[in-house]
Amino acid sequence: MADEEHFDVQLVVNGAAHNVRVPARRLLSDCIRHDLRLTGTHVGCEHGVCGACTVLVDGVAMRSCLLLAVSVDGSRITTVEGLTERDGTLSPVQQAFEDCHGLQCGFCTPGFLTTITAGLRTNPDPTQDEARDLIGGNLCRCTGYQNIVKSVLRAAEIERERAAP
Amino acid sequence: MKPSPFGYSRPASVDEALSTLAAHGSNAKVLAGGQSLLPILSMRLAAPHHLVDINRLTELDYVRLDASTVRVGALARHARVLADTAARVAQPLLAQALRLVAHATIRNRGTTVGSIVHADPSGEMTAVLALLGGSVRVASKSAHRDVPADEFFLGALESAVAPGELALEASFPVLGPRSGTAFVEVSRRQGDYAVCGVGALVELDGDGALSSARTAYLSVSATPLVLDVSEAGEDFAAAAALAHEQVDPEADIHATADYRRHLAGVLTERALRAAHAGAVERSAHG
Ligand SMILES: Cc1cc2nc3c(=O)[nH]c(=O)nc-3n(C[C@H](O)[C@H](O)[C@H](O)COP(=O)(O)OP(=O)(O)OC[C@H]3O[C@@H](n4cnc5c(N)ncnc54)[C@H](O)[C@@H]3O)c2cc1C
Ligand code: FES
Ligand code: FES
């Protein structure tokens, strides 16, 4: 549809301001991947079930395939690319996944990393059950989840280690 | 799996939203959290010509409490309602059910009013509104009306909100002094829609005897089913048998009709026991 109306959308993604012109139907997941070329955010099911596309919108974990880019105009978005620290140090959650072998093919991983990052902010010291609960909305076809649960607990530990003087 | 093209507006006030909805009539759809609408659009099960995005209507982002009612505005996300301590104390069934609605990431965006308007027979909050006898305030450009729960749900995925209308808030009566509630369900995985779920509301009289017991069911009927099982008194197994007899579920890929009926019985007993314990405890604390 050549005459489809387009909208100016401003997003601050991982600290950098972006202006894009998109049709209303552009999903935030596609805007991030196609318009901004940040392909770290993965799209599995595109209807809200798998969690691979999870990003942080103003610090809150949301499924980017269930958001219209135009609807979150003006928001600050954090994708998996934005988790690593400026000097390249892996974030506590990323480091924990490496330590605990929390990924295999890695397709689901961006969604887990963003979900866990936000989850540990609200609950910095989760129990094993709470760790399972936290990742309950994300699907992984490889790991069997055990090492991801370990990664959640390890990430909380790394956060504490790094915060200690 | 991308939505088909549509026009879009993002009104800044309720008045503007109502004018836009009136102008587009049955060609427009309201976009709230989008956690049900976006999958429907992406799968092209619906192709509205225009979306009216209510996410900037911050005047509707509230949870308010007075002596008799918890009122939830149309932009209050599930997560916000779930975290509201005052609302949880005034009507515990809200949080008991909301923690079973989807996953935290979906509750961060999806709205409680949106899930009621969506009228999914598997949606916990539809059963909560029906069980408590709540209502929904609906507005159009020309009028406002309050629709009681028993007139709100017309069919599966069909509510009384007509084209051109916006649901402004849902109202839930607060819990009485000698009353208790519970919500239990069985789902394939935590956060999934329930195969069957039961909410219960139990009231005791001044002597502590059960005076009223009502139950509401998920995923067994097109509209929320509420049963009065008071006649079974504190014999919750008998109440379960009543429920088993009265529900008439259908089979789908998740469960046979028989299994659903079985769950309705088992969960009725569990929900009533927990609600009764809650009522006893609340009575003890005056
Ligand atoms: C993976 C997944 C699992 C889920 N599991 C559950 C679950 O277990 N239980 C459950 O209850 N829900 C579940 N949901 C749905 C979720 O609760 C949605 O948030 C909710 O159903 C709809 O709320 P929304 O604000 O996202 O509405 P939207 O998706 O924006 O809208 C839904 C419908 O209601 C209409 N609408 C919304 N708000 C208004 C309004 N104020 N006035 C008029 N019309 C309006 C829209 O036009 C649309 O037709 C799940 C969703 C997903 C993706
Ligand atoms: S791609 Fe968004 S939840 Fe699966
Ligand atoms: S590591 Fe392959 S899907 Fe999770």
Side-chain angles (χ1 to χ4, degrees):
Chain A
M1 201 164 127
D3 56 353
E4 193 173 350
E5 192 184 355
H6 280 56
F7 296 82
D8 288 311
V9 172
Q10 198 179 63
L11 298 171
V12 178
V13 182
N14 305 326
H18 295 272
N19 293 292
V20 290
R21 230 179 125 62
V22 295
R25 60 172 160 154
R26 177 82 86 245
L27 303 173
L28 179 62
S29 44
D30 287 341
C31 179
I32 290 170
R33 290 177 52 85
H34 302 170
D35 298 303
L36 304 179
R37 301 261 162 209
L38 291 170
T39 52
T41 298
H42 289 173
V43 173
C45 66
E46 216 163 49
H47 60 271
V49 175
C50 74
C53 67
T54 307
V55 300
L56 309 186
V57 180
D58 294 323
V60 179
M62 293 183 189
R63 305 230 195 284
S64 62
C65 74
L66 296 186
L67 293 167
L68 297 176
V70 66
S71 187
V72 295
D73 181 19
S75 307
R76 283 179 305 111
I77 312 281
T78 308
T79 67
V80 66
E81 289 95 338
L83 298 182
T84 311
E85 281 161 36
R86 276 181 203 292
D87 64 1
T89 311
L90 294 181
S91 79
V93 183
Q94 290 172 314
Q95 186 60 52
F97 269 65
E98 187 179 313
D99 293 356
C100 301
H101 197 56
L103 65 146
Q104 289 179 27
C105 79
F107 191 85
C108 67
T109 313
F112 276 96
L113 295 175
T114 45
T115 304
I116 297 166
T117 300
L120 288 178
R121 277 183 208 147
T122 27
N123 181 4
D125 191 14
T127 62
Q128 173 117 355
D129 277 355
E130 288 165 346
R132 280 182 193 282
D133 215 55
L134 173 58
I135 60 166
N138 292 64
L139 297 182
C140 171
R141 302 309 304 262
C142 300
T143 63
Y145 301 102
Q146 304 305 326
N147 287 347
I148 301 183
V149 175
K150 281 183 200 149
S151 302
V152 176
L153 301 175
R154 174 73 188 127
E157 213 172 76
I158 298 174
E159 303 247 13
R160 283 193 295 277
E161 285 165 13
R162 289 193 189 172
Chain B
M1 298 231 303
K2 312 288 179 196
S4 49
F6 46 76
Y8 172 85
S9 24
R10 194 169 59 211
S13 70
V14 169
D15 283 346
E16 192 189 334
L18 294 177
S19 302
T20 313
L21 283 168
H24 289 277
S26 57
N27 289 325
K29 272 232 162 259
V30 172
L31 171 68
Q35 304 299 286
S36 295
L37 187 55
L38 261 292
I40 290 171
L41 296 179
S42 284
M43 292 190 262
R44 301 208 175 187
L45 299 172
H49 293 183
H50 199 90
L51 289 194
V52 180
D53 182 349
I54 63 166
N55 283 282
R56 300 297 156 102
L57 303 184
T58 45
E59 60 197 289
L60 298 180
D61 183 8
Y62 61 82
V63 179
R64 287 185 194 136
L65 178 64
D66 61 33
S68 61
T69 323
V70 179
R71 286 153 56 221
V72 175
L75 196 55
R77 318 277 178 196
H78 293 308
R80 180 195 171 139
V81 185
L82 180 57
D84 194 296
T85 326
R88 183 202 327 239
V89 172
Q91 181 43 269
L93 188 59
L94 290 174
Q96 287 164 350
L98 275 167
R99 68 188 169 77
L100 300 172
V101 173
H103 312 284
T105 24
I106 287 157
R107 294 195 297 264
N108 285 340
R109 186 73 181 177
T111 64
T112 298
V113 170
S115 81
I116 290 170
V117 177
H118 191 53
D120 190 320
S122 307
E124 285 80 0
M125 300 317 285
T126 59
V128 166
L129 192 84
L131 178 62
L132 297 176
S135 64
V136 180
R137 168 145 274 236
V138 178
S140 69
K141 197 167 183 290
S142 50
H144 285 217
R145 58 194 180 112
D146 283 305
V147 187
D150 57 4
E151 293 168 22
F152 190 77
F153 302 106
L154 305 180
L157 303 181
E158 195 188 349
S159 76
V161 177
E165 287 188 318
L166 179 67
L168 299 180
E169 71 173 22
S171 296
F172 305 89
V174 300
L175 190 62
R178 290 181 297 275
S179 310
T181 57
F183 209 106
V184 294
E185 67 179 39
V186 168
S187 56
R188 300 284 300 241
R189 286 160 309 214
Q190 172 251 348
D192 281 8
Y193 281 106
V195 178
C196 181
V198 179
L201 172 61
V202 167
E203 288 166 25
L204 308 181
D205 63 22
D207 302 324
L210 186 145
S211 58
S212 150
R214 282 151 45 89
T215 44
Y217 296 82
L218 286 189
S219 313
V220 298
S221 50
T223 57
L225 172 73
V226 179
L227 297 180
D228 188 330
V229 292
S230 310
E231 63 178 86
E234 287 171 28
D235 184 349
F236 301 128
L242 281 176
H244 191 275
E245 228 166 76
Q246 288 184 52
V247 300
D248 185 18
E250 290 189 11
D252 64 16
I253 54 164
H254 302 297
T256 60
D258 273 350
Y259 179 53
R260 277 216 165 84
R261 192 176 300 111
H262 168 76
L263 286 179
V266 172
L267 294 174
T268 296
E269 185 168 347
R270 275 188 212 162
L272 285 171
R273 255 181 227 297
H276 182 257
V280 169
E281 194 182 316
R282 203 171 164 95
S283 305
H285 291 89

